[in-house]
Amino acid sequence: MAESVRVAVRCRPFNQREKDLNTQLCVGITPNMGQVNLIAPDGVSKDFTFDGSYFMDSTGEQIYNDIVFPLVENVIEGYNGTVFAYGQTGSGKTFSMQGVESIPAQRGVIPRAFDHIFTATATTENVKFLVHCSYLEIYNEEVRDLLGADNKQKLEIKEQPDRGVYVAGLSMHVCHDVPACKELMTRGFNNRHVGATLMNKVRFCCLDSLENSIPREVTPYSQYT
């Protein structure tokens, strides 16, 4: 599989603060064309085109199936894959990545990926899988391990010819099922930096990375006969 980067844009629903302020919508989206239309107060608009575009009524299920499902399938086949949520504070990164667990259609990318990975590994024949999970935070240009024994310790990003770019000292946790992954996700989430902003009252100046590593070992079929 050739290396490729796909970029999609999601317009999240208004939060309660925006509803209380009677905020006016300034974005138009044409999903079948991947277009995003920004409308300025003076009525002037500007169009942008992406690999995918999703409006307020989009669901976590739709986004996962369109964008993430094929990526995770390739990861299970042994390729590297990354889902990167980018946007300013309050733009909906956590809403897309972790979602709303109590609303099935709005479950986020990460919990859906957990289900996908363990369903696939349980039903794939003649291959052994080992799932590791790590969770790091980049805050004010400092890297911290949110699952480490000391989550205040600063870690260094390094590079080696045989490993590529990696975070030295980042803990890796073996996971045998979905509940174990969710427990780590919750623990890491609770260890993040928090702060109040006008946008969301919770998060600021942070980048989180929850990573699943899935080494594969192809087992000779004769072992099963």
Side-chain angles (χ1 to χ4, degrees):
M1 183 183 71
E3 291 188 11
S4 63
V5 176
R6 297 183 63 207
V7 180
V9 173
R10 183 185 194 185
C11 178
R12 66 158 173 77
F14 284 136
N15 59 33
Q16 190 57 51
R17 176 177 177 274
E18 291 161 344
K19 292 177 182 179
D20 294 342
L21 292 173
N22 195 29
T23 302
Q24 299 301 304
L25 185 66
C26 63
V27 176
I29 286 181
T30 310
N32 61 326
M33 298 178 63
Q35 283 193 343
V36 177
N37 177 250
L38 300 184
I39 306 169
D42 58 7
V44 177
S45 64
K46 188 172 182 61
D47 294 334
F48 300 88
T49 302
F50 300 90
D51 296 302
S53 60
Y54 299 86
F55 199 48
M56 291 183 179
D57 57 355
S58 63
T59 64
E61 181 179 19
Q62 177 187 4
I63 289 172
Y64 189 87
N65 290 338
D66 289 354
I67 300 171
V68 186
F69 185 92
L71 184 65
V72 174
E73 286 288 293
N74 287 324
V75 168
I76 293 168
E77 289 295 322
Y79 297 97
N80 291 325
T82 300
V83 179
F84 191 96
Y86 180 81
Q88 74 177 67
T89 297
S91 60
K93 299 183 294 297
T94 300
F95 177 72
S96 290
M97 296 301 288
Q98 295 193 211
V100 182
E101 193 70 21
S102 60
I103 305 176
Q106 291 293 10
R107 294 175 66 231
V109 165
I110 294 174
R112 289 181 186 278
F114 291 158
D115 291 342
H116 187 174
I117 288 169
F118 283 100
T119 298
T121 56
T123 56
T124 302
E125 296 182 349
N126 309 328
V127 180
K128 294 180 180 179
F129 296 88
L130 179 62
V131 179
H132 289 92
C133 185
S134 62
Y135 199 162
L136 65 83
E137 174 184 68
I138 302 175
Y139 174 80
N140 285 350
E141 301 183 3
E142 295 179 357
V143 181
R144 301 189 308 127
D145 184 354
L146 297 180
L147 299 176
D150 180 6
N151 56 48
K152 301 292 192 296
Q153 180 182 359
K154 302 174 187 176
L155 304 181
E156 294 183 355
I157 299 175
K158 297 186 176 182
E159 183 174 11
Q160 290 182 353
D162 58 334
R163 294 186 59 181
V165 177
Y166 67 100
V167 178
L170 182 65
S171 62
M172 301 289 287
H173 303 260
V174 176
C175 295
H176 298 288
D177 50 33
V178 172
C181 286
K182 288 184 176 180
E183 190 277 329
L184 290 174
M185 181 177 71
T186 301
R187 192 202 317 172
F189 185 86
N190 291 336
N191 286 333
R192 303 184 310 168
H193 272 93
V194 296
T197 72
L198 289 177
M199 289 295 291
N200 66 0
K201 303 293 185 183
V202 178
R203 302 278 295 126
F204 67 111
C205 300
C206 270
L207 170 66
D208 302 322
S209 173
L210 179 64
E211 175 184 337
N212 278 106
S213 174
I214 315 175
R216 303 170 78 247
E217 177 186 334
V218 178
T219 306
Y221 184 75
S222 59
Q223 292 192 12
Y224 292 87
T225 60

